[in-house]
Short mmCIF file of all heavy atoms in Angstrom, two decimals:
data_model
loop_
_atom_site.label_atom_id
_atom_site.label_comp_id
_atom_site.label_asym_id
_atom_site.label_seq_id
_atom_site.Cartn_x
_atom_site.Cartn_y
_atom_site.Cartn_z
N LEU A 41 10.94 57.40 -58.41
CA LEU A 41 11.07 56.77 -57.10
C LEU A 41 10.21 57.52 -56.10
O LEU A 41 10.18 58.76 -56.11
CB LEU A 41 12.55 56.77 -56.67
CG LEU A 41 12.93 56.04 -55.39
CD1 LEU A 41 14.34 55.48 -55.49
CD2 LEU A 41 12.78 56.89 -54.15
N TYR A 42 9.51 56.78 -55.26
CA TYR A 42 8.54 57.37 -54.34
C TYR A 42 8.79 56.86 -52.92
O TYR A 42 9.12 55.68 -52.73
CB TYR A 42 7.11 56.96 -54.72
CG TYR A 42 6.74 57.31 -56.14
CD1 TYR A 42 7.14 56.51 -57.21
CD2 TYR A 42 5.97 58.43 -56.42
CE1 TYR A 42 6.79 56.82 -58.52
CE2 TYR A 42 5.61 58.75 -57.73
CZ TYR A 42 6.02 57.94 -58.76
OH TYR A 42 5.68 58.26 -60.06
N TRP A 43 8.60 57.73 -51.95
CA TRP A 43 8.61 57.34 -50.54
C TRP A 43 7.22 57.56 -49.97
O TRP A 43 6.62 58.64 -50.15
CB TRP A 43 9.61 58.17 -49.74
CG TRP A 43 11.05 57.79 -49.93
CD1 TRP A 43 11.97 58.39 -50.74
CD2 TRP A 43 11.75 56.75 -49.24
NE1 TRP A 43 13.18 57.78 -50.62
CE2 TRP A 43 13.08 56.78 -49.70
CE3 TRP A 43 11.39 55.80 -48.29
CZ2 TRP A 43 14.06 55.88 -49.24
CZ3 TRP A 43 12.35 54.93 -47.83
CH2 TRP A 43 13.67 54.96 -48.30
N TYR A 44 6.74 56.55 -49.24
CA TYR A 44 5.47 56.63 -48.53
C TYR A 44 5.71 56.20 -47.09
O TYR A 44 6.66 55.46 -46.79
CB TYR A 44 4.42 55.70 -49.14
CG TYR A 44 3.80 56.18 -50.42
CD1 TYR A 44 4.45 56.02 -51.64
CD2 TYR A 44 2.54 56.79 -50.43
CE1 TYR A 44 3.87 56.46 -52.82
CE2 TYR A 44 1.95 57.23 -51.60
CZ TYR A 44 2.63 57.06 -52.79
OH TYR A 44 2.06 57.49 -53.97
N ARG A 45 4.82 56.62 -46.23
CA ARG A 45 4.87 56.20 -44.83
C ARG A 45 3.54 55.53 -44.50
O ARG A 45 2.46 56.05 -44.85
CB ARG A 45 5.09 57.42 -43.93
CG ARG A 45 5.09 57.11 -42.46
CD ARG A 45 5.64 58.25 -41.65
NE ARG A 45 4.71 59.38 -41.55
CZ ARG A 45 4.94 60.44 -40.78
NH1 ARG A 45 6.05 60.51 -40.07
NH2 ARG A 45 4.07 61.43 -40.74
N GLN A 46 3.63 54.39 -43.85
CA GLN A 46 2.43 53.64 -43.47
C GLN A 46 2.38 53.53 -41.95
O GLN A 46 3.19 52.83 -41.35
CB GLN A 46 2.42 52.25 -44.11
CG GLN A 46 1.14 51.47 -43.87
CD GLN A 46 1.11 50.14 -44.58
OE1 GLN A 46 2.16 49.57 -44.90
NE2 GLN A 46 -0.08 49.61 -44.83
N SER A 47 1.43 54.24 -41.36
CA SER A 47 1.24 54.18 -39.91
C SER A 47 0.01 53.35 -39.63
O SER A 47 -0.89 53.25 -40.47
CB SER A 47 1.05 55.58 -39.33
OG SER A 47 2.13 56.41 -39.70
N LEU A 48 -0.03 52.78 -38.45
CA LEU A 48 -1.13 51.90 -38.07
C LEU A 48 -2.45 52.65 -38.20
O LEU A 48 -2.64 53.70 -37.61
CB LEU A 48 -0.92 51.41 -36.64
CG LEU A 48 -1.81 50.25 -36.20
CD1 LEU A 48 -1.52 49.03 -37.06
CD2 LEU A 48 -1.57 49.93 -34.74
N GLY A 49 -3.35 52.09 -39.01
CA GLY A 49 -4.68 52.68 -39.17
C GLY A 49 -4.73 53.94 -40.00
O GLY A 49 -5.78 54.55 -40.13
N GLN A 50 -3.60 54.34 -40.58
CA GLN A 50 -3.56 55.60 -41.33
C GLN A 50 -3.37 55.42 -42.82
O GLN A 50 -3.32 56.38 -43.55
CB GLN A 50 -2.43 56.49 -40.80
CG GLN A 50 -2.63 56.94 -39.38
CD GLN A 50 -3.90 57.74 -39.21
OE1 GLN A 50 -4.21 58.64 -39.99
NE2 GLN A 50 -4.68 57.41 -38.19
N GLY A 51 -3.26 54.22 -43.29
CA GLY A 51 -3.06 54.04 -44.72
C GLY A 51 -1.69 54.51 -45.14
O GLY A 51 -0.77 54.64 -44.33
N LEU A 52 -1.54 54.78 -46.41
CA LEU A 52 -0.25 55.20 -46.96
C LEU A 52 -0.24 56.71 -47.15
O LEU A 52 -1.09 57.27 -47.82
CB LEU A 52 0.02 54.53 -48.30
CG LEU A 52 0.73 53.20 -48.23
CD1 LEU A 52 -0.22 52.12 -47.78
CD2 LEU A 52 1.32 52.84 -49.57
N GLU A 53 0.76 57.33 -46.58
CA GLU A 53 0.92 58.78 -46.66
C GLU A 53 2.09 59.09 -47.60
O GLU A 53 3.22 58.65 -47.36
CB GLU A 53 1.21 59.30 -45.25
CG GLU A 53 1.51 60.76 -45.14
CD GLU A 53 1.98 61.13 -43.74
OE1 GLU A 53 2.21 60.22 -42.91
OE2 GLU A 53 2.12 62.33 -43.47
N PHE A 54 1.84 59.85 -48.65
CA PHE A 54 2.88 60.21 -49.60
C PHE A 54 3.88 61.16 -48.95
O PHE A 54 3.49 62.12 -48.28
CB PHE A 54 2.25 60.86 -50.83
CG PHE A 54 3.24 61.53 -51.74
CD1 PHE A 54 4.07 60.77 -52.54
CD2 PHE A 54 3.36 62.90 -51.77
CE1 PHE A 54 4.99 61.38 -53.37
CE2 PHE A 54 4.27 63.53 -52.60
CZ PHE A 54 5.10 62.76 -53.40
N LEU A 55 5.16 60.91 -49.15
CA LEU A 55 6.20 61.77 -48.59
C LEU A 55 6.89 62.60 -49.68
O LEU A 55 6.89 63.83 -49.63
CB LEU A 55 7.24 60.95 -47.84
CG LEU A 55 6.74 60.17 -46.63
CD1 LEU A 55 7.88 59.36 -46.01
CD2 LEU A 55 6.13 61.09 -45.59
N ILE A 56 7.50 61.92 -50.64
CA ILE A 56 8.29 62.62 -51.64
C ILE A 56 8.44 61.76 -52.88
O ILE A 56 8.34 60.54 -52.81
CB ILE A 56 9.68 63.01 -51.06
CG1 ILE A 56 10.47 63.92 -52.02
CG2 ILE A 56 10.49 61.76 -50.73
CD1 ILE A 56 11.72 64.52 -51.39
N TYR A 57 8.69 62.41 -54.00
CA TYR A 57 8.77 61.74 -55.29
C TYR A 57 9.99 62.27 -56.03
O TYR A 57 10.26 63.46 -56.02
CB TYR A 57 7.47 62.05 -56.04
CG TYR A 57 7.51 62.10 -57.55
CD1 TYR A 57 7.95 61.01 -58.29
CD2 TYR A 57 7.05 63.22 -58.22
CE1 TYR A 57 7.95 61.05 -59.67
CE2 TYR A 57 7.04 63.27 -59.60
CZ TYR A 57 7.48 62.18 -60.32
OH TYR A 57 7.47 62.23 -61.69
N PHE A 58 10.74 61.37 -56.63
CA PHE A 58 11.89 61.73 -57.46
C PHE A 58 11.65 61.32 -58.90
O PHE A 58 11.14 60.24 -59.17
CB PHE A 58 13.16 61.00 -56.97
CG PHE A 58 13.70 61.52 -55.68
CD1 PHE A 58 13.33 60.97 -54.47
CD2 PHE A 58 14.61 62.58 -55.67
CE1 PHE A 58 13.83 61.45 -53.28
CE2 PHE A 58 15.13 63.06 -54.48
CZ PHE A 58 14.73 62.49 -53.29
N GLN A 59 12.04 62.19 -59.80
CA GLN A 59 12.13 61.86 -61.21
C GLN A 59 13.61 62.05 -61.56
O GLN A 59 14.10 63.19 -61.60
CB GLN A 59 11.23 62.76 -62.05
CG GLN A 59 11.24 62.42 -63.54
CD GLN A 59 10.66 61.05 -63.83
OE1 GLN A 59 9.67 60.62 -63.25
NE2 GLN A 59 11.31 60.34 -64.74
N GLY A 60 14.32 60.96 -61.80
CA GLY A 60 15.77 61.07 -61.88
C GLY A 60 16.30 61.47 -60.51
O GLY A 60 15.90 60.89 -59.50
N ASN A 61 17.17 62.47 -60.48
CA ASN A 61 17.73 62.93 -59.21
C ASN A 61 16.99 64.11 -58.62
O ASN A 61 17.32 64.56 -57.52
CB ASN A 61 19.20 63.33 -59.39
CG ASN A 61 20.09 62.12 -59.65
OD1 ASN A 61 19.74 61.02 -59.27
ND2 ASN A 61 21.21 62.36 -60.30
N SER A 62 16.01 64.63 -59.34
CA SER A 62 15.32 65.80 -58.82
C SER A 62 13.98 65.41 -58.21
O SER A 62 13.39 64.39 -58.58
CB SER A 62 15.11 66.83 -59.93
OG SER A 62 14.26 66.32 -60.91
N ALA A 63 13.53 66.24 -57.29
CA ALA A 63 12.30 65.95 -56.55
C ALA A 63 11.24 66.98 -56.90
O ALA A 63 11.16 68.02 -56.25
CB ALA A 63 12.58 65.94 -55.05
N PRO A 64 10.41 66.70 -57.92
CA PRO A 64 9.38 67.67 -58.31
C PRO A 64 8.32 67.89 -57.23
O PRO A 64 7.64 68.90 -57.24
CB PRO A 64 8.74 67.05 -59.55
CG PRO A 64 9.61 65.93 -59.97
CD PRO A 64 10.38 65.50 -58.77
N ASP A 65 8.16 66.90 -56.35
CA ASP A 65 7.08 66.99 -55.37
C ASP A 65 7.58 66.55 -54.01
O ASP A 65 7.79 65.36 -53.77
CB ASP A 65 5.89 66.12 -55.83
CG ASP A 65 4.64 66.36 -55.00
OD1 ASP A 65 4.74 66.96 -53.90
OD2 ASP A 65 3.56 65.94 -55.43
N LYS A 66 7.78 67.52 -53.13
CA LYS A 66 8.20 67.23 -51.76
C LYS A 66 7.06 67.55 -50.79
O LYS A 66 7.28 67.67 -49.58
CB LYS A 66 9.39 68.11 -51.36
CG LYS A 66 10.58 68.00 -52.26
CD LYS A 66 11.71 68.92 -51.77
CE LYS A 66 12.89 68.91 -52.72
NZ LYS A 66 13.96 69.79 -52.27
N SER A 67 5.87 67.68 -51.32
CA SER A 67 4.77 68.23 -50.53
C SER A 67 4.39 67.39 -49.33
O SER A 67 3.79 67.89 -48.38
CB SER A 67 3.54 68.43 -51.42
OG SER A 67 3.10 67.17 -51.93
#
Side-chain angles (χ1 to χ4, degrees):
Chain A
L41 186 149
Y42 304 80
W43 284 99
Y44 283 81
R45 177 166 74 173
Q46 185 177 23
S47 305
L48 193 63
Q50 295 300 314
L52 270 76
E53 175 188 8
F54 168 73
L55 298 178
I56 188 170
Y57 151 56
F58 288 92
Q59 182 65 40
N61 290 336
S62 65
D65 190 344
K66 304 180 184 179
S67 63

